[in-house]
Amino acid sequence: MIDPPIPFFLPEVGEDEIREVVETLRSGWLTTGPRTRQFEQDFAELVGARHAVAVNSATAALHLALDAVGIQPGDEVLVPTMTFAATAEVVIYLGAKPVLVDCLPRTLNINPEAAARAVTARTRAIMPVHYGGRPCEMGPILDLAERHGLKVIEDAAHALPARYGDRTIGSIGDATCFSFYANKTITTGEGGMLTTDDADLADRARIMSLHGISKDAWRRFTAEGNWYYEILRPGYKYNMTDIAAALGLHQLRKAEEFREARQRCARWYDEALVEIDAVELPPPAAADITHAWHLYPIQLRLERLSIDRGEFIRQMSAAGITTSVHWMPLHMHQYYRETYGYQLDDFPVAREAFDRLISLPIYPRMAQEQVQRVAATVRRIAQENRGT
């Protein structure tokens, strides 16, 4: 009997979400409206922020955050090279320059000391990315920002729910941006959220998220609304729909339950993989952080193997197990090399990690038997392909 495939991720959508979406469809209010506003309120309360602005992607949230803090053409923004394209792309949208920074070797989060060395007179912001759901070292990052007058825009696409010290991610930086894409820790299919304690920043983001129309534009379609509106600024089309928010309302209530399930998977992996000398496991969560465990990334010790990472992944796939790689560092992509002159070896920690990284499947409904099968396959491939 052939074992069924193990996907990299499966979303966890229950009957509560389905009923809410159906009720939304029957209500006649499909786009931004009362469910979106309720989702914002509930989200702000969960993360301990004063304001939350729901949008159609984390990319949109990052763009709005940078716009709202006043990033201008010619400015520089510190961005980790070990991140997804969106983190740096939004800097470019505003005519500013993403200045790439190397990562720490174990956590793969931005290296605060390297960030400090990258600051210039044109630096206006820093964008820490909480890699895989593990919070960055926010203390040194906040200190750096205070010394140089920088805004802190957190890319928390992987980090709901997570905590750094006694604060929840979403309540620390000037703005924090979350993703609700299909494979994230909670999902609205597509979607994102910007959180902040700054009322002016939230107002600017909300206005710019819907064509620059005066705030609460959706109210003009309600009984207490008015047909009249004005365009205050040239904005974007980034609003979240009530259909998406209907999913989010119930996903949010399960966020900690989902996190605990992923953490159990991570512990099962730790126990099953710890003695494989060709594999380096993600570091255990420090006592002062709560890890969201969006990813479980391993790093191959290639010097102990006769195959490279690509062949390792191919053999995992042949065994019916889907894996991924997070990520190819930005400085290695053609655009960043040709546009900003980055060389492949400019950020050696990220470069070396990229050659060794594999993200293993991890999701709430994953059973212990599936984790054990993934681990057994990693062990078998490592043993069959030992280096000489």
Side-chain angles (χ1 to χ4, degrees), residues 204-260:
R204 168 84 180 193
R206 194 177 301 284
I207 290 167
M208 295 296 283
S209 73
L210 190 57
H211 300 298
I213 296 174
S214 47
K215 62 183 178 179
D216 283 341
W218 65 275
R219 288 186 180 275
R220 70 187 188 275
F221 299 115
T222 68
E224 68 267 26
N226 189 294
W227 64 269
Y228 182 80
Y229 68 90
E230 290 191 46
I231 302 295
L232 304 181
R233 300 177 184 90
Y236 314 104
K237 185 66 169 68
Y238 284 165
N239 58 301
M240 176 179 281
T241 70
D242 265 23
I243 298 172
L247 281 168
L249 284 167
H250 294 279
Q251 288 275 296
L252 189 63
R253 294 166 192 167
K254 303 172 185 177
E256 179 58 24
E257 174 189 336
F258 291 167
R259 190 201 69 79
E260 290 174 357

Side-chain angles (χ1 to χ4, degrees), residues 251-313:
Q251 288 275 296
L252 189 63
R253 294 166 192 167
K254 303 172 185 177
E256 179 58 24
E257 174 189 336
F258 291 167
R259 190 201 69 79
E260 290 174 357
R262 292 190 304 273
Q263 182 172 273
R264 283 195 297 273
C265 290
R267 288 173 178 165
W268 292 333
Y269 274 131
D270 287 347
E271 294 167 0
L273 296 170
V274 66
E275 294 182 357
I276 304 175
D277 64 1
V279 172
E280 181 179 323
L281 305 186
D288 62 341
I289 70 166
T290 299
H291 198 314
W293 287 113
H294 171 59
L295 298 178
Y296 189 90
I298 61 172
Q299 295 188 53
L300 302 179
R301 294 187 172 106
L302 294 173
E303 69 279 6
R304 300 179 185 180
L305 294 168
S306 60
I307 58 174
D308 62 12
R309 188 266 313 279
E311 177 59 20
F312 204 106
I313 289 175

Side-chain angles (χ1 to χ4, degrees), residues 95-145:
K97 177 183 178 182
V99 175
L100 302 184
V101 177
D102 211 346
C103 61
L104 295 165
R106 294 293 311 282
T107 67
L108 303 183
N109 281 329
I110 190 170
N111 184 330
E113 293 181 1
R117 292 193 295 270
V119 174
T120 74
R122 294 184 296 276
T123 309
R124 298 291 178 265
I126 181 170
M127 299 177 73
V129 176
H130 303 296
Y131 180 91
R134 183 191 181 99
C136 294
E137 294 184 10
M138 291 304 297
I141 290 169
L142 294 171
D143 290 345
L144 174 66

